[in-house]
Amino acid sequence: MLSKFQTLYRHIIQDERNIPEATGQLSDLLSDIALACKVISLEVNRAGLIDILGLTGEKNVQGEEVKKLDEYANTLLKRMMQMGGHACALCSEEEETFVPIDEVYSDYSHKYIVHFDPLDGSSNIDANISIGTIFSIYKRISTKGPGTMDDCLQYGTKQVAAGYVVYGSSTVMVYTAGKGVHGFTLDPSVGEFLLFSENMKIPKKSKTYSVNEGNYSKWPDGVKKYIDYLKEKDSDTGRPYSSRYVGSLVADFHRNLLYGGIFMYPADNKNKNGKLRLMYEANPLAFLVEQAGGRASNGEKRILEIKPESLHQRTPLFIGSEEDVIMAEKFINKS
Ligand code: P6P
């Protein structure tokens, strides 16, 4: 049984130990994020009891109503990054622009940039539907002082680590530092994330698709034809597929990672670049899914190779089982 008692911190350290130039800073940074998410998990699970449900009455940079838990999670992660001393700047869905971090808290080299969506899917908070935190970590390009916008706008291929925490029936953290995808479940009795799956691999082909079909009339023809294709009866190709859509990206992605599936948020005639954000939603999940043997594109181009132009840039997203994403791309590019 002891071999199963592998904590997140021990796993990260072991992951990094084989890297000659590793200083332990990335391990500490990942542990700082995990600690913040443990605290967020406490509040998410208590939300109904201590009345932090409901709205603050504020709107975030996206013009979306900010729920109190959104604000709480954002503040907590920001403080954790500022105090941790390993990041020189952070970028959050809840912040208009990047937040440079002065090297005042420690003599660490502050060599990382962190992007995060502090509480994705938060519109589901009141309905007790799973929500999540998504994070993405880069090495800085600048050499000293607080981080710069150039540090923050790097291609997804430059990520050194990424992951998410889903606050559901249990709290689960999934991360990659470029050497496979590993899953941990929070054991509240000891307050540790314990390994449940190492080197996770997403099935190459699935029988599940996740998309908001309410937008069907607004989609490009290629997307409509692909969804129609998935609904046709053909046992040789496992069709019709099942539709599974929570409306919470982290929950939909996590289910598809475990069982296989394709998640889609296409562009439409209202949202020319779709709804989801490149830097703190698409890129981290694309890094994870590729490490797990899956695929992520905007329908034409690999997500990780999309040039970042701005922090809150949106992108269409087709992500999940490799063969399913390739099929979707064929329909899109045929049209
Ligand atoms: P729609 C939640 O607001 C979110 O950002 C993602 O978590 C989710 O996948 C998507 O938007 C749902 O969007 O338009 O289907 O409600």
PDB file of all heavy atoms in Angstrom, residues 64 93 117 120-124 134 211-213 215 245-252 263 265 275-277 281, ligand 1:
ATOM      1  N   GLU A  64     -18.112  39.812 -17.607  1.00  0.00           N
ATOM      2  CA  GLU A  64     -18.935  38.767 -16.964  1.00  0.00           C
ATOM      3  C   GLU A  64     -19.135  39.103 -15.480  1.00  0.00           C
ATOM      4  O   GLU A  64     -18.243  39.638 -14.839  1.00  0.00           O
ATOM      5  CB  GLU A  64     -18.219  37.407 -17.076  1.00  0.00           C
ATOM      6  CG  GLU A  64     -18.068  36.898 -18.502  1.00  0.00           C
ATOM      7  CD  GLU A  64     -16.981  35.804 -18.595  1.00  0.00           C
ATOM      8  OE1 GLU A  64     -16.157  35.688 -17.649  1.00  0.00           O
ATOM      9  OE2 GLU A  64     -16.969  35.080 -19.599  1.00  0.00           O
ATOM     10  N   GLU A  93      -7.421  35.511 -15.774  1.00  0.00           N
ATOM     11  CA  GLU A  93      -8.633  35.866 -16.511  1.00  0.00           C
ATOM     12  C   GLU A  93      -9.326  37.043 -15.856  1.00  0.00           C
ATOM     13  O   GLU A  93      -9.997  37.831 -16.500  1.00  0.00           O
ATOM     14  CB  GLU A  93      -9.583  34.666 -16.584  1.00  0.00           C
ATOM     15  CG  GLU A  93     -10.839  35.003 -17.381  1.00  0.00           C
ATOM     16  CD  GLU A  93     -12.007  34.076 -17.094  1.00  0.00           C
ATOM     17  OE1 GLU A  93     -12.114  33.566 -15.974  1.00  0.00           O
ATOM     18  OE2 GLU A  93     -12.797  33.876 -18.024  1.00  0.00           O
ATOM     19  N   ASP A 117      -6.638  30.698 -15.035  1.00  0.00           N
ATOM     20  CA  ASP A 117      -8.064  30.980 -14.966  1.00  0.00           C
ATOM     21  C   ASP A 117      -8.453  30.515 -13.572  1.00  0.00           C
ATOM     22  O   ASP A 117      -8.540  29.316 -13.325  1.00  0.00           O
ATOM     23  CB  ASP A 117      -8.808  30.181 -16.058  1.00  0.00           C
ATOM     24  CG  ASP A 117     -10.296  30.527 -16.067  1.00  0.00           C
ATOM     25  OD1 ASP A 117     -10.746  31.205 -15.116  1.00  0.00           O
ATOM     26  OD2 ASP A 117     -10.996  30.096 -17.007  1.00  0.00           O
ATOM     27  N   ASP A 120     -12.635  28.486 -13.455  1.00  0.00           N
ATOM     28  CA  ASP A 120     -13.322  28.331 -14.744  1.00  0.00           C
ATOM     29  C   ASP A 120     -14.671  27.632 -14.550  1.00  0.00           C
ATOM     30  O   ASP A 120     -14.797  26.716 -13.739  1.00  0.00           O
ATOM     31  CB  ASP A 120     -12.445  27.494 -15.677  1.00  0.00           C
ATOM     32  CG  ASP A 120     -13.154  27.279 -17.004  1.00  0.00           C
ATOM     33  OD1 ASP A 120     -13.162  28.184 -17.841  1.00  0.00           O
ATOM     34  OD2 ASP A 120     -13.756  26.192 -17.160  1.00  0.00           O
ATOM     35  N   GLY A 121     -15.658  28.119 -15.274  1.00  0.00           N
ATOM     36  CA  GLY A 121     -16.987  27.506 -15.171  1.00  0.00           C
ATOM     37  C   GLY A 121     -17.769  28.060 -13.998  1.00  0.00           C
ATOM     38  O   GLY A 121     -18.767  27.489 -13.550  1.00  0.00           O
ATOM     39  N   SER A 122     -17.293  29.201 -13.463  1.00  0.00           N
ATOM     40  CA  SER A 122     -17.856  29.692 -12.196  1.00  0.00           C
ATOM     41  C   SER A 122     -19.346  30.019 -12.297  1.00  0.00           C
ATOM     42  O   SER A 122     -20.036  30.087 -11.281  1.00  0.00           O
ATOM     43  CB  SER A 122     -17.089  30.926 -11.723  1.00  0.00           C
ATOM     44  OG  SER A 122     -17.082  31.878 -12.765  1.00  0.00           O
ATOM     45  N   SER A 123     -19.857  30.173 -13.515  1.00  0.00           N
ATOM     46  CA  SER A 123     -21.315  30.438 -13.620  1.00  0.00           C
ATOM     47  C   SER A 123     -22.100  29.241 -13.078  1.00  0.00           C
ATOM     48  O   SER A 123     -23.279  29.319 -12.812  1.00  0.00           O
ATOM     49  CB  SER A 123     -21.697  30.693 -15.085  1.00  0.00           C
ATOM     50  OG  SER A 123     -21.221  29.612 -15.875  1.00  0.00           O
ATOM     51  N   ASN A 124     -21.400  28.102 -12.895  1.00  0.00           N
ATOM     52  CA  ASN A 124     -22.080  26.899 -12.390  1.00  0.00           C
ATOM     53  C   ASN A 124     -22.020  26.771 -10.874  1.00  0.00           C
ATOM     54  O   ASN A 124     -22.541  25.789 -10.317  1.00  0.00           O
ATOM     55  CB  ASN A 124     -21.409  25.654 -13.003  1.00  0.00           C
ATOM     56  CG  ASN A 124     -21.611  25.576 -14.506  1.00  0.00           C
ATOM     57  OD1 ASN A 124     -22.736  25.589 -14.980  1.00  0.00           O
ATOM     58  ND2 ASN A 124     -20.515  25.531 -15.249  1.00  0.00           N
ATOM     59  N   ILE A 134      -7.360  26.493 -13.873  1.00  0.00           N
ATOM     60  CA  ILE A 134      -6.435  26.074 -14.935  1.00  0.00           C
ATOM     61  C   ILE A 134      -5.185  26.944 -14.842  1.00  0.00           C
ATOM     62  O   ILE A 134      -5.297  28.157 -14.617  1.00  0.00           O
ATOM     63  CB  ILE A 134      -7.066  26.256 -16.341  1.00  0.00           C
ATOM     64  CG1 ILE A 134      -8.458  25.627 -16.401  1.00  0.00           C
ATOM     65  CG2 ILE A 134      -6.160  25.642 -17.417  1.00  0.00           C
ATOM     66  CD1 ILE A 134      -9.216  25.930 -17.701  1.00  0.00           C
ATOM     67  N   VAL A 211     -20.128  19.701 -26.950  1.00  0.00           N
ATOM     68  CA  VAL A 211     -20.252  21.014 -27.609  1.00  0.00           C
ATOM     69  C   VAL A 211     -21.605  21.593 -27.232  1.00  0.00           C
ATOM     70  O   VAL A 211     -22.546  20.843 -26.939  1.00  0.00           O
ATOM     71  CB  VAL A 211     -20.129  20.861 -29.153  1.00  0.00           C
ATOM     72  CG1 VAL A 211     -21.357  20.186 -29.760  1.00  0.00           C
ATOM     73  CG2 VAL A 211     -19.861  22.224 -29.808  1.00  0.00           C
ATOM     74  N   ASN A 212     -21.699  22.920 -27.240  1.00  0.00           N
ATOM     75  CA  ASN A 212     -22.983  23.566 -26.936  1.00  0.00           C
ATOM     76  C   ASN A 212     -23.790  23.640 -28.233  1.00  0.00           C
ATOM     77  O   ASN A 212     -23.602  24.568 -29.038  1.00  0.00           O
ATOM     78  CB  ASN A 212     -22.750  24.983 -26.389  1.00  0.00           C
ATOM     79  CG  ASN A 212     -24.082  25.667 -26.068  1.00  0.00           C
ATOM     80  OD1 ASN A 212     -25.147  25.194 -26.478  1.00  0.00           O
ATOM     81  ND2 ASN A 212     -24.011  26.768 -25.347  1.00  0.00           N
ATOM     82  N   GLU A 213     -24.668  22.677 -28.442  1.00  0.00           N
ATOM     83  CA  GLU A 213     -25.403  22.588 -29.717  1.00  0.00           C
ATOM     84  C   GLU A 213     -26.402  23.716 -29.889  1.00  0.00           C
ATOM     85  O   GLU A 213     -26.969  23.901 -30.964  1.00  0.00           O
ATOM     86  CB  GLU A 213     -26.074  21.221 -29.836  1.00  0.00           C
ATOM     87  CG  GLU A 213     -25.034  20.104 -29.903  1.00  0.00           C
ATOM     88  CD  GLU A 213     -25.514  18.878 -30.653  1.00  0.00           C
ATOM     89  OE1 GLU A 213     -26.007  18.997 -31.781  1.00  0.00           O
ATOM     90  OE2 GLU A 213     -25.380  17.781 -30.072  1.00  0.00           O
ATOM     91  N   ASN A 215     -25.589  26.547 -30.213  1.00  0.00           N
ATOM     92  CA  ASN A 215     -24.955  27.492 -31.148  1.00  0.00           C
ATOM     93  C   ASN A 215     -24.957  26.981 -32.590  1.00  0.00           C
ATOM     94  O   ASN A 215     -24.367  27.610 -33.471  1.00  0.00           O
ATOM     95  CB  ASN A 215     -23.503  27.750 -30.704  1.00  0.00           C
ATOM     96  CG  ASN A 215     -23.451  28.451 -29.339  1.00  0.00           C
ATOM     97  OD1 ASN A 215     -24.311  29.275 -29.024  1.00  0.00           O
ATOM     98  ND2 ASN A 215     -22.465  28.097 -28.520  1.00  0.00           N
ATOM     99  N   TYR A 245     -22.050  17.279 -22.232  1.00  0.00           N
ATOM    100  CA  TYR A 245     -21.619  18.683 -22.136  1.00  0.00           C
ATOM    101  C   TYR A 245     -22.048  19.257 -20.793  1.00  0.00           C
ATOM    102  O   TYR A 245     -23.234  19.416 -20.533  1.00  0.00           O
ATOM    103  CB  TYR A 245     -22.228  19.504 -23.280  1.00  0.00           C
ATOM    104  CG  TYR A 245     -21.642  20.887 -23.435  1.00  0.00           C
ATOM    105  CD1 TYR A 245     -20.337  21.067 -23.896  1.00  0.00           C
ATOM    106  CD2 TYR A 245     -22.375  22.030 -23.101  1.00  0.00           C
ATOM    107  CE1 TYR A 245     -19.782  22.335 -24.041  1.00  0.00           C
ATOM    108  CE2 TYR A 245     -21.830  23.301 -23.239  1.00  0.00           C
ATOM    109  CZ  TYR A 245     -20.537  23.451 -23.707  1.00  0.00           C
ATOM    110  OH  TYR A 245     -19.993  24.701 -23.850  1.00  0.00           O
ATOM    111  N   VAL A 246     -21.058  19.527 -19.928  1.00  0.00           N
ATOM    112  CA  VAL A 246     -21.355  20.051 -18.588  1.00  0.00           C
ATOM    113  C   VAL A 246     -21.505  21.571 -18.638  1.00  0.00           C
ATOM    114  O   VAL A 246     -22.231  22.165 -17.858  1.00  0.00           O
ATOM    115  CB  VAL A 246     -20.211  19.654 -17.617  1.00  0.00           C
ATOM    116  CG1 VAL A 246     -20.426  20.237 -16.223  1.00  0.00           C
ATOM    117  CG2 VAL A 246     -20.092  18.137 -17.537  1.00  0.00           C
ATOM    118  N   GLY A 247     -20.776  22.193 -19.581  1.00  0.00           N
ATOM    119  CA  GLY A 247     -20.759  23.656 -19.604  1.00  0.00           C
ATOM    120  C   GLY A 247     -19.706  24.185 -18.647  1.00  0.00           C
ATOM    121  O   GLY A 247     -19.700  25.350 -18.277  1.00  0.00           O
ATOM    122  N   SER A 248     -18.806  23.284 -18.231  1.00  0.00           N
ATOM    123  CA  SER A 248     -17.658  23.660 -17.408  1.00  0.00           C
ATOM    124  C   SER A 248     -16.454  22.981 -18.049  1.00  0.00           C
ATOM    125  O   SER A 248     -16.325  21.755 -17.980  1.00  0.00           O
ATOM    126  CB  SER A 248     -17.878  23.170 -15.974  1.00  0.00           C
ATOM    127  OG  SER A 248     -16.861  23.633 -15.136  1.00  0.00           O
ATOM    128  N   LEU A 249     -15.587  23.805 -18.668  1.00  0.00           N
ATOM    129  CA  LEU A 249     -14.519  23.271 -19.511  1.00  0.00           C
ATOM    130  C   LEU A 249     -13.672  22.216 -18.797  1.00  0.00           C
ATOM    131  O   LEU A 249     -13.402  21.144 -19.350  1.00  0.00           O
ATOM    132  CB  LEU A 249     -13.629  24.430 -19.986  1.00  0.00           C
ATOM    133  CG  LEU A 249     -12.356  24.086 -20.749  1.00  0.00           C
ATOM    134  CD1 LEU A 249     -12.652  23.279 -22.000  1.00  0.00           C
ATOM    135  CD2 LEU A 249     -11.594  25.373 -21.107  1.00  0.00           C
ATOM    136  N   VAL A 250     -13.304  22.518 -17.547  1.00  0.00           N
ATOM    137  CA  VAL A 250     -12.406  21.596 -16.836  1.00  0.00           C
ATOM    138  C   VAL A 250     -13.089  20.248 -16.624  1.00  0.00           C
ATOM    139  O   VAL A 250     -12.485  19.187 -16.787  1.00  0.00           O
ATOM    140  CB  VAL A 250     -11.959  22.214 -15.485  1.00  0.00           C
ATOM    141  CG1 VAL A 250     -11.099  21.243 -14.692  1.00  0.00           C
ATOM    142  CG2 VAL A 250     -11.188  23.503 -15.723  1.00  0.00           C
ATOM    143  N   ALA A 251     -14.385  20.287 -16.285  1.00  0.00           N
ATOM    144  CA  ALA A 251     -15.126  19.034 -16.054  1.00  0.00           C
ATOM    145  C   ALA A 251     -15.249  18.243 -17.360  1.00  0.00           C
ATOM    146  O   ALA A 251     -15.006  17.030 -17.394  1.00  0.00           O
ATOM    147  CB  ALA A 251     -16.514  19.354 -15.503  1.00  0.00           C
ATOM    148  N   ASP A 252     -15.576  18.934 -18.455  1.00  0.00           N
ATOM    149  CA  ASP A 252     -15.696  18.240 -19.745  1.00  0.00           C
ATOM    150  C   ASP A 252     -14.344  17.687 -20.199  1.00  0.00           C
ATOM    151  O   ASP A 252     -14.238  16.549 -20.657  1.00  0.00           O
ATOM    152  CB  ASP A 252     -16.253  19.195 -20.818  1.00  0.00           C
ATOM    153  CG  ASP A 252     -17.772  19.367 -20.709  1.00  0.00           C
ATOM    154  OD1 ASP A 252     -18.469  18.342 -20.553  1.00  0.00           O
ATOM    155  OD2 ASP A 252     -18.246  20.510 -20.759  1.00  0.00           O
ATOM    156  N   PHE A 263     -13.850  17.679 -27.260  1.00  0.00           N
ATOM    157  CA  PHE A 263     -14.522  18.898 -26.784  1.00  0.00           C
ATOM    158  C   PHE A 263     -14.347  19.967 -27.855  1.00  0.00           C
ATOM    159  O   PHE A 263     -13.248  20.139 -28.393  1.00  0.00           O
ATOM    160  CB  PHE A 263     -13.913  19.371 -25.465  1.00  0.00           C
ATOM    161  CG  PHE A 263     -14.467  20.700 -25.000  1.00  0.00           C
ATOM    162  CD1 PHE A 263     -15.530  20.751 -24.118  1.00  0.00           C
ATOM    163  CD2 PHE A 263     -13.943  21.906 -25.480  1.00  0.00           C
ATOM    164  CE1 PHE A 263     -16.060  21.970 -23.702  1.00  0.00           C
ATOM    165  CE2 PHE A 263     -14.470  23.131 -25.081  1.00  0.00           C
ATOM    166  CZ  PHE A 263     -15.536  23.160 -24.189  1.00  0.00           C
ATOM    167  N   TYR A 265     -15.308  24.115 -28.917  1.00  0.00           N
ATOM    168  CA  TYR A 265     -15.942  25.414 -28.810  1.00  0.00           C
ATOM    169  C   TYR A 265     -15.579  26.169 -30.093  1.00  0.00           C
ATOM    170  O   TYR A 265     -14.582  26.883 -30.145  1.00  0.00           O
ATOM    171  CB  TYR A 265     -15.569  26.204 -27.553  1.00  0.00           C
ATOM    172  CG  TYR A 265     -16.734  27.090 -27.163  1.00  0.00           C
ATOM    173  CD1 TYR A 265     -17.571  26.765 -26.114  1.00  0.00           C
ATOM    174  CD2 TYR A 265     -17.073  28.210 -27.944  1.00  0.00           C
ATOM    175  CE1 TYR A 265     -18.682  27.536 -25.803  1.00  0.00           C
ATOM    176  CE2 TYR A 265     -18.186  28.972 -27.662  1.00  0.00           C
ATOM    177  CZ  TYR A 265     -18.999  28.632 -26.598  1.00  0.00           C
ATOM    178  OH  TYR A 265     -20.119  29.388 -26.320  1.00  0.00           O
ATOM    179  N   LYS A 275     -15.133  31.437 -27.925  1.00  0.00           N
ATOM    180  CA  LYS A 275     -15.324  32.026 -26.591  1.00  0.00           C
ATOM    181  C   LYS A 275     -14.119  31.797 -25.687  1.00  0.00           C
ATOM    182  O   LYS A 275     -13.814  32.627 -24.833  1.00  0.00           O
ATOM    183  CB  LYS A 275     -16.559  31.397 -25.945  1.00  0.00           C
ATOM    184  CG  LYS A 275     -16.760  31.782 -24.482  1.00  0.00           C
ATOM    185  CD  LYS A 275     -17.960  31.102 -23.874  1.00  0.00           C
ATOM    186  CE  LYS A 275     -18.193  31.561 -22.438  1.00  0.00           C
ATOM    187  NZ  LYS A 275     -19.346  30.878 -21.811  1.00  0.00           N
ATOM    188  N   LEU A 276     -13.414  30.694 -25.868  1.00  0.00           N
ATOM    189  CA  LEU A 276     -12.373  30.316 -24.908  1.00  0.00           C
ATOM    190  C   LEU A 276     -11.075  31.057 -25.190  1.00  0.00           C
ATOM    191  O   LEU A 276     -10.807  31.464 -26.317  1.00  0.00           O
ATOM    192  CB  LEU A 276     -12.183  28.798 -24.922  1.00  0.00           C
ATOM    193  CG  LEU A 276     -13.458  28.027 -24.576  1.00  0.00           C
ATOM    194  CD1 LEU A 276     -13.229  26.525 -24.675  1.00  0.00           C
ATOM    195  CD2 LEU A 276     -13.981  28.400 -23.198  1.00  0.00           C
ATOM    196  N   ARG A 277     -10.275  31.240 -24.117  1.00  0.00           N
ATOM    197  CA  ARG A 277      -9.070  32.039 -24.231  1.00  0.00           C
ATOM    198  C   ARG A 277      -7.864  31.173 -24.501  1.00  0.00           C
ATOM    199  O   ARG A 277      -7.735  30.064 -23.976  1.00  0.00           O
ATOM    200  CB  ARG A 277      -8.845  32.827 -22.923  1.00  0.00           C
ATOM    201  CG  ARG A 277      -9.815  33.982 -22.725  1.00  0.00           C
ATOM    202  CD  ARG A 277     -11.162  33.481 -22.278  1.00  0.00           C
ATOM    203  NE  ARG A 277     -12.046  34.547 -21.814  1.00  0.00           N
ATOM    204  CZ  ARG A 277     -13.209  34.277 -21.214  1.00  0.00           C
ATOM    205  NH1 ARG A 277     -13.572  33.016 -21.018  1.00  0.00           N
ATOM    206  NH2 ARG A 277     -13.983  35.246 -20.807  1.00  0.00           N
ATOM    207  N   GLU A 281      -6.671  28.977 -21.094  1.00  0.00           N
ATOM    208  CA  GLU A 281      -7.577  27.826 -21.218  1.00  0.00           C
ATOM    209  C   GLU A 281      -7.040  26.877 -22.298  1.00  0.00           C
ATOM    210  O   GLU A 281      -6.672  25.738 -22.013  1.00  0.00           O
ATOM    211  CB  GLU A 281      -9.008  28.293 -21.548  1.00  0.00           C
ATOM    212  CG  GLU A 281      -9.688  28.950 -20.348  1.00  0.00           C
ATOM    213  CD  GLU A 281     -10.998  29.657 -20.683  1.00  0.00           C
ATOM    214  OE1 GLU A 281     -11.142  30.177 -21.809  1.00  0.00           O
ATOM    215  OE2 GLU A 281     -11.876  29.706 -19.803  1.00  0.00           O
TER     216      GLU A 281
HETATM  217  P1  P6P B   1     -21.372  28.015 -23.131  1.00  0.00           P
HETATM  218  C1  P6P B   1     -17.668  28.573 -18.645  1.00  0.00           C
HETATM  219  O1  P6P B   1     -18.264  29.861 -18.676  1.00  0.00           O
HETATM  220  C2  P6P B   1     -16.797  28.464 -19.898  1.00  0.00           C
HETATM  221  O2  P6P B   1     -15.807  29.437 -19.914  1.00  0.00           O
HETATM  222  C3  P6P B   1     -16.185  27.069 -19.959  1.00  0.00           C
HETATM  223  O3  P6P B   1     -15.870  26.562 -18.710  1.00  0.00           O
HETATM  224  C4  P6P B   1     -17.268  26.258 -20.647  1.00  0.00           C
HETATM  225  O4  P6P B   1     -16.727  25.169 -21.375  1.00  0.00           O
HETATM  226  C5  P6P B   1     -17.872  27.278 -21.604  1.00  0.00           C
HETATM  227  O5  P6P B   1     -17.619  28.575 -21.050  1.00  0.00           O
HETATM  228  C6  P6P B   1     -19.366  27.085 -21.724  1.00  0.00           C
HETATM  229  O6  P6P B   1     -19.821  28.056 -22.643  1.00  0.00           O
HETATM  230  O7  P6P B   1     -21.459  29.070 -24.198  1.00  0.00           O
HETATM  231  O8  P6P B   1     -21.605  26.634 -23.674  1.00  0.00           O
HETATM  232  O9  P6P B   1     -22.179  28.294 -21.897  1.00  0.00           O
END
